[in-house]
């Protein structure tokens, strides 16, 4: 681990000890130690300089634009130079690291979830006992409850299934790791009685 990564890790693990940098109050102008989604603002800016060829001033502006809630105002022209690289929505602002992609699913095929990557969790004990949470649905292995069409869809339905009044689906990946970084992009519905979740266990 680099010293920069180690410092960020310590700041994430002990936020109370770094109150000025982890405050909920937005910073006034550029503050290098403001935490932006788990990483120091300056670390993100330095990553853009190293990996995207930006000037440090343009990189700092970029970070301030992408994390407006962390900074009180947009940087003005007098704060930094006027050289700004246009924002590209496809470029993530993320510190450089040594991680290697080992598994992913873009859910870009049509049909059931990829059986080589996912399995339905339909354990008999869970469906009988409510999974320890008094859940009202019965988890099925049916494509009526989980399917892929321009993304993964999981649907709870009001229907009588094995003594339960609702059906739904629970998917578990067929692989797991002790260490690593997991990124998930999803839309979670809201509504009375619903409790959608993405778990790492």
């Amino acid at each position: 681990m680099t010293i920069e990564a180690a410092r960020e890790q310590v700041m994430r693990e002990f936020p109370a000890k770094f109150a000025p940098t982890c405050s909920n109050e937005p910073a006034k102008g550029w503050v290098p130690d403001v935490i932006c989604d788990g990483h120091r603002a300056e670390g993100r800016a330095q990553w853009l300089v190293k990996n995207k060829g930006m000037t440090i001033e343009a990189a700092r502006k970029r970070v301030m634009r992408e994390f407006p809630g962390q900074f009180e105002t947009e940087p003005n022209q007098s704060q930094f130079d006027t050289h700004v690289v246009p924002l590209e929505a496809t470029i993530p602002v993320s510190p450089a690291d040594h991680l290697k992609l080992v598994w992913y699913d873009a859910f870009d095929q049509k049909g059931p979830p990829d059986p080589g990557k996912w399995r339905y969790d339909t354990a008999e004990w869970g469906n009988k006992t409510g999974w320890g949470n008094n859940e009202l649905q019965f988890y099925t292995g049916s494509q009526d409850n989980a399917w892929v069409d321009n993304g993964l869809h999981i649907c709870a339905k009001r229907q009588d299934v094995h003594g339960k009044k609702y059906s739904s689906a629970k998917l578990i990946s067929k692989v797991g790791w002790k260490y690593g970084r997991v990124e998930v992009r999803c839309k979670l519905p809201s509504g009375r009685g619903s409790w959608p979740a993405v778990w790492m266990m």
Side-chain angles (χ1 to χ4, degrees), residues 113 151 178 184:
K178 186 173 182 180
V184 178

Side-chain angles (χ1 to χ4, degrees), residues 126-148:
N127 273 325
K128 281 186 175 180
T129 63
W131 303 89
N133 301 309
N134 295 319
E135 296 181 28
L136 302 179
Q137 71 274 12
F138 186 94
Y139 288 120
T140 76
S142 170
Q143 197 172 324
D144 288 338
N145 293 112
W147 69 94
V148 177

Side-chain angles (χ1 to χ4, degrees), residues 112-127:
D114 186 341
K117 296 178 178 178
W118 302 96
R119 68 177 178 84
Y120 291 92
D121 191 356
T122 57
E124 185 177 354
W125 72 267
N127 273 325

